[in-house]
């Protein structure tokens, strides 16, 4: 079975998902009430965004009186892993060895310890494959 790939979320979608991940199950009204500051939006905007996230497969919902109650279809770490997997695959397919070399260089710039972790992950993957 092919893995589902995910597109990066927009700023508002990300803010809504953060609230859902932290407080699920929630209604659009509850999400709207929890969003303040720069992310504060009209109730109808939040409702539309949550419906769009549902159609994308990121939220599941069930009727709760006149409203929908939403929950995440997958956890935050699961989504982040799936998103990273998809982006890495796309970059490696498009740029091959250049992308791989750039990734190793970037890992070293961020934290030399990441190179050791990368070596461990490669070893684990080869053991599972072999």
């Amino acid at each position: 079975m092919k893995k589902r790939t995910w597109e990066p979320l927009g700023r508002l979608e990300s803010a809504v998902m953060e609230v859902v991940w932290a407080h699920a199950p929630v209604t659009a009204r509850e999400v709207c009430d929890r969003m303040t500051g720069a992310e504060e939006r009209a109730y109808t905007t939040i409702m539309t965004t949550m419906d769009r996230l549902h159609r994308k497969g990121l939220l599941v919902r069930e009727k709760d009186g006149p409203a929908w109650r939403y929950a995440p279809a997958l956890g935050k770490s699961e989504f982040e892993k799936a998103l990273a997997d998809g982006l890495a695959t796309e970059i490696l397919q498009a740029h091959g060895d250049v992308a791989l070399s750039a990734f190793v260089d970037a890992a070293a710039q961020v934290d030399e310890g990441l190179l050791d972790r990368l070596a461990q992950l490669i070893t684990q993957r080869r053991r599972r494959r072999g």
Side-chain angles (χ1 to χ4, degrees):
M1 182 169 99
K2 187 179 177 202
K3 275 182 158 180
R4 171 99 189 243
T5 58
W6 300 98
E7 294 293 320
L9 300 176
R11 206 164 112 195
L12 181 57
E13 289 176 327
S14 292
V16 167
M17 286 303 299
E18 289 295 335
V19 173
V20 176
W21 279 317
H23 303 285
V26 291
T27 64
R29 170 58 57 205
E30 291 166 344
V31 171
C32 189
D33 290 348
R34 290 183 179 276
M35 295 181 73
T36 59
E39 296 305 330
E40 188 173 350
R41 295 287 194 282
Y43 167 73
T44 54
T45 302
I46 299 303
M47 191 172 57
T48 301
T49 300
M50 293 179 77
D51 183 62
R52 187 172 55 247
L53 289 166
H54 169 71
R55 283 184 276 123
K56 287 181 176 184
L58 285 166
L59 294 177
V60 295
R61 67 185 182 188
E62 62 181 47
K63 240 357 187 162
D64 184 9
W68 290 104
R69 190 160 288 280
Y70 292 87
L74 62 165
K76 182 177 180 178
S77 61
E78 292 173 290
F79 173 73
E80 289 173 341
K81 172 80 166 80
L83 183 61
D85 286 347
L87 291 172
T89 298
E90 192 176 307
I91 291 168
L92 288 169
Q93 285 174 340
H95 305 286
D97 284 349
V98 171
L100 197 55
S101 178
F103 185 77
V104 170
D105 291 344
Q109 287 176 353
V110 170
D111 179 355
E112 280 285 329
L114 290 174
L115 293 177
D116 295 331
R117 181 67 183 128
L118 183 58
Q120 290 173 343
L121 292 169
I122 291 168
T123 300
Q124 288 172 0
R125 172 60 100 169
R126 287 188 170 148
R127 284 185 187 141
R128 282 188 304 209
R129 193 178 61 187

